[in-house]
Amino acid sequence: MTIKVAALQMCSGMDPEKNAATMVKLARQAAADGAVYVQTPEMTGALMRDRDALRAILRDEDADLIAKTASELARELNIHVHVGSTAIARPDGKIANRGFVFGPNGQRICTYDKIHMFDVDLDNGESWRESAAYEPGKDARIVDLPFGKLGFAICYDVRFPSLFRTEAMAGAEILTVPAAFTRQTGEAHWHVLLRARAIENGAFVIAAAQAGLHEDGRETYGHSLIIDPWGRVLAEGPAVGEAVVMAEIDLAVVKASRAKIPNLKNGRDFNLDILPALAKGGMTV
């Protein structure tokens, strides 16, 4: 089945209403051009460093503006809308970095909470402690949609190949990686990581990205990508600013790629031996 898919590149600010309006504009443009699935970036609803200010605008998933708007969009446009993620208030008082998929009837099909927290210190002095505010998810997830099986990840998850392999082994044909990659890490690793995840798993990868200088002062890398199972970039967004990044994908390519390189079938269990250090002039077995 050949379908059109779209990654909606954004530069989310601190006002959820403005960000929702941008999502609506881009999704309508993508649907008008034939997309049946659209994906937004990580933290579509708001990007803000001030955690207290973020908590002040948080809602649970039933009252969240981005989720409600995405549901209405999916019904209006008769498409699948994937909110890459947005901040959601959990019943226990913590925050979830949560993605949503809504079907053409506007019903929520599934959610996914980001599993791996971005706790890093970068060379340029930036320091991030996502775990200080967000509760990590515990469940990998795939969903069987009319056009294919989607596997879920969010941003920093891309650095953990076992997540993607688990989803591919369970049948995922399209791997999704909505993100808000920093400019520094994006310049170094964005393309190679996403292409590697596609090649390793013989799957399409769709990665909608945040892009540009945000109101809170952070800078994200952009370059939203749609990649085929052979690692070829089918479509790419700009470094800065909003964009609708679209491509036609044919799931027959997944089957063909996995037949050429059947590494999902060829994997084997193995033991790991850790050998002692060699004594000077000695040997080990």
Side-chain angles (χ1 to χ4, degrees):
M1 179 185 294
T2 300
I3 61 166
K4 283 187 177 181
V5 299
L8 308 184
Q9 183 163 296
M10 299 174 62
C11 185
S12 293
M14 295 186 287
D15 183 345
E17 291 189 2
K18 290 182 179 179
N19 299 327
T22 298
M23 177 179 70
V24 169
K25 177 186 68 174
L26 297 176
R28 285 176 175 162
Q29 180 182 334
D33 290 337
V36 300
Y37 163 90
V38 301
Q39 178 193 122
T40 71
E42 180 184 27
M43 286 295 139
T44 294
L47 271 175
M48 57 177 70
R49 292 177 186 264
D50 187 331
R51 298 286 168 77
D52 291 334
L54 176 62
R55 289 180 185 278
I57 65 170
L58 287 184
R59 301 291 182 269
D60 65 25
E61 63 180 42
D62 292 326
D64 180 73
L65 174 63
I66 296 297
K68 290 171 67 175
T69 303
S71 171
E72 293 164 1
L73 262 178
R75 185 184 302 110
E76 171 197 334
L77 301 174
N78 194 36
I79 63 172
H80 286 82
V81 175
H82 177 185
V83 176
S85 87
T86 198
I88 295 293
R90 289 166 44 103
D92 60 7
K94 297 179 181 179
I95 306 174
N97 187 342
R98 181 167 297 166
F100 297 83
V101 176
F102 296 92
N105 59 2
Q107 294 297 307
R108 185 177 67 224
I109 295 173
C110 71
T111 64
Y112 168 77
D113 286 2
K114 184 177 182 180
I115 293 174
H116 300 97
M117 299 288 96
F118 189 55
D119 291 353
V120 301
D121 298 302
L122 301 178
D123 290 342
N124 66 356
E126 290 183 57
S127 183
W128 301 95
R129 290 292 179 272
E130 198 168 41
S131 63
Y134 293 88
E135 181 70 11
K138 296 179 174 64
D139 300 313
R141 186 158 289 165
I142 64 173
V143 62
D144 193 355
L145 298 181
F147 52 83
K149 294 182 176 68
L150 258 67
F152 293 88
I154 296 172
C155 202
Y156 191 51
D157 283 336
V158 76
R159 295 184 182 272
F160 299 86
S162 60
L163 172 62
F164 297 83
R165 176 52 56 96
T166 298
E167 293 176 351
M169 292 292 289
E173 301 160 297
I174 303 168
L175 301 171
T176 62
V177 196
F181 247 63
T182 68
R183 183 181 59 80
Q184 184 183 18
T185 56
E187 288 174 348
H189 299 148
W190 175 248
H191 288 79
V192 69
L193 285 171
L194 289 168
R195 293 185 66 209
R197 298 298 86 87
I199 294 166
E200 292 164 347
N201 298 293
F204 285 97
V205 167
I206 304 174
Q210 296 282 358
L213 182 61
H214 299 263
E215 287 180 331
D216 72 347
R218 84 181 71 191
E219 195 172 0
T220 52
Y221 183 62
H223 296 276
S224 297
L225 292 172
I226 302 173
I227 303 168
D228 81 358
W230 208 244
R232 293 171 291 217
V233 174
L234 302 180
E236 180 171 352
V240 175
E242 300 168 6
V244 175
V245 181
M246 292 187 62
E248 286 192 0
I249 66 172
D250 182 356
L251 292 188
V253 177
V254 174
K255 184 177 181 180
S257 296
R258 291 176 177 177
K260 291 176 183 177
I261 308 290
N263 62 315
L264 295 181
K265 293 182 179 179
N266 292 347
R268 293 177 58 85
D269 294 331
F270 53 85
N271 300 316
L272 173 64
D273 294 330
I274 301 177
L275 303 179
L278 290 175
K280 187 174 182 180
M283 65 173 57
T284 189
V285 177

